[in-house]
Amino acid sequence: MEEISIGGFARRSRLSVKALRLYDELGVLVPARVDEASGYRYYDVAQLEAARLVAMLRQLELPLAEIKELLARDPVDAAERIAAHWREVESVHDARRELADYLVNRLSGKRSVMYEVATREIPERSVLCLKRNVDEQGAWALGKEFIAILRERPLPKMEGREGAMFSIYWGEVSADSDGPVEWCKPVPESDAKALASHYPELSLRTEPAHREAYVALPNDALPAGPGGKPAVQWQLASEALQAWAAEHGIDPESGPEDLGVRITYLASEPVTETSAPYCDFAVPFA
C-alpha cells in the first residue's frame, strides 16, 4: 500500500480537503488510516480511482448517499443505475422545456393547449385518511407511509375511479409552505365505521358530493422531489385548469367547503411492483 496524506490525496484527486473530510464523515470515501495521536487522515493511492469517480458522479448531481451506495455495487449494476439516473435527468429536462415553452408563449400573448380539461361528478363518499403538514420531501414520505398501511391491512376493493386512492393538497407544498397534504382511500359507506376501527392511525370522514374539473396526466407523473418531472407536469396541469376556469367564467375557489386540489391514482393493468398508476389532477368547483 502506498500511503499519502490528505493534502497530497486532495491534489492528486482534484478534490478539496474540505470535500474529503465530508466524504469521510458520511462514509462515502473513508481514509485508509487515521493517525490515533494526530488525527491526520492518510489515503491509499489505489483510492484515487474511487475519488475521481465520486467527483464525476457529483457532476451528475447524484446525492452523496446514492454515491456511497453506488461505490459498494458491482460495476455493472452501478453502470445501470447511472444510466437510469441520466434517463431521469433528461426526462426532467424535457418537462422543464415544456414549462419554458408555455411561459414564453404566455408572455408573448400566445395561447398554448397543454392538457385537455374535462369535468365529472363525484358522489358523496366515506374515506379513510392520513393528513399531515409536510414539506416537499415529507409529502412523498407521507404517501409511502399511507400505502404501506393499506398493504399491511388491505381494504375491500372498490372498482372504478370512485374507489381509487387520492391525495389532497390543501395548500402549497414547498420549501416555504407545508400544505397540509391528505391521503385518502374511499371505503364502502355501509362498512365504514367497522373498517375504521381496524385503522386507528387513520381518520374517517365523509367527503361531500361535488363537481370537479380535471386533466389526465402521463403514467410517470408520480410524486417526486422538488423540481422533478412530476412537479413540472403538475404545474402545467394546474395552469391548464386555471386557464380553462377563466375561459368558462368559473372560480375554482368557489367549490364546496373543505375541498382542495387533488391527485387521483388509478392502477393501470397489468399491476406489477414497478408499474406506475394512471393519475389525474383535479380542482373542485361549484
Side-chain angles (χ1 to χ4, degrees):
M1 180 177 75
E2 184 183 347
E3 211 174 65
I4 54 177
S5 68
I6 188 172
F9 193 79
R11 286 190 296 273
R12 295 180 64 174
S13 66
R14 302 188 67 81
L15 293 171
S16 69
V17 171
K18 178 181 178 181
L20 289 172
R21 287 173 177 158
L22 174 63
Y23 299 163
D24 179 18
E25 291 172 5
L26 298 178
V28 176
L29 188 61
V30 179
R33 181 175 69 88
V34 178
D35 187 271
E36 294 184 3
S38 65
Y40 289 167
R41 296 171 172 87
Y42 293 92
Y43 292 81
D44 185 345
V45 171
Q47 292 180 279
L48 284 170
E49 183 178 352
R52 290 167 183 148
L53 179 58
V54 170
M56 288 186 285
L57 291 172
R58 288 299 281 162
Q59 289 295 317
L60 294 179
E61 299 185 357
L62 276 165
L64 286 172
E66 194 163 343
I67 290 175
K68 178 181 177 181
E69 180 186 341
L70 277 173
L71 292 177
R73 287 190 177 195
D74 174 88
V76 175
D77 290 341
E80 291 176 355
R81 176 64 193 93
I82 293 168
H85 168 77
W86 192 247
R87 286 194 296 271
E88 176 61 22
V89 169
E90 291 181 325
S91 178
V92 170
H93 181 73
D94 289 343
R96 288 176 177 169
R97 183 187 293 113
E98 290 180 28
L99 180 58
D101 289 344
Y102 164 74
L103 289 172
V104 169
N105 289 331
R106 176 177 172 179
L107 294 172
S108 301
K110 301 176 183 177
R111 182 181 181 278
S112 298
V113 178
M114 296 162 289
Y115 294 101
E116 293 296 327
V117 178
T119 63
R120 62 185 174 215
E121 300 291 335
I122 302 297
E124 180 178 284
R125 298 181 290 181
S126 295
V127 291
L128 283 173
C129 310
L130 183 63
K131 186 177 183 179
R132 193 174 299 158
N133 291 86
V134 291
D135 59 13
E136 294 167 306
Q137 297 298 330
W140 174 236
L142 181 65
K144 291 174 67 177
E145 179 183 341
F146 185 70
I147 292 170
I149 291 171
L150 299 188
R151 282 180 176 169
E152 181 183 345
R153 285 162 284 159
L155 285 164
K157 185 175 182 180
M158 294 181 64
E159 298 293 340
R161 186 165 303 283
E162 294 177 6
M165 178 173 60
F166 60 96
S167 58
I168 303 177
Y169 283 67
W170 298 102
E172 181 184 0
V173 174
S174 66
D176 304 322
S177 182
D178 62 354
V181 173
E182 182 177 32
W183 280 76
C184 309
K185 182 67 174 73
V187 294
E189 183 179 358
S190 58
D191 302 325
K193 290 184 179 179
L195 289 169
S197 66
H198 298 288
Y199 298 85
E201 63 271 72
L202 305 181
S203 59
L204 175 66
R205 68 175 179 83
T206 300
E207 185 183 54
H210 63 276
R211 192 181 185 199
E212 59 188 31
Y214 70 96
V215 297
L217 298 179
N219 283 2
D220 55 358
L222 290 169
K229 180 180 179 182
V232 175
Q233 289 173 328
W234 291 10
Q235 183 65 47
L236 288 170
S238 178
E239 291 293 333
L241 287 168
Q242 293 295 335
W244 177 87
E247 286 182 6
H248 291 78
I250 293 172
D251 179 9
E253 301 301 326
S254 68
E257 184 179 0
D258 290 337
L259 286 177
V261 175
R262 70 267 323 277
I263 297 98
T264 301
Y265 308 91
L266 189 63
S268 302
E269 300 293 343
V271 179
T272 67
E273 286 294 325
T274 58
S275 63
Y278 167 86
C279 304
D280 64 47
F281 187 101
V283 175
F285 65 93

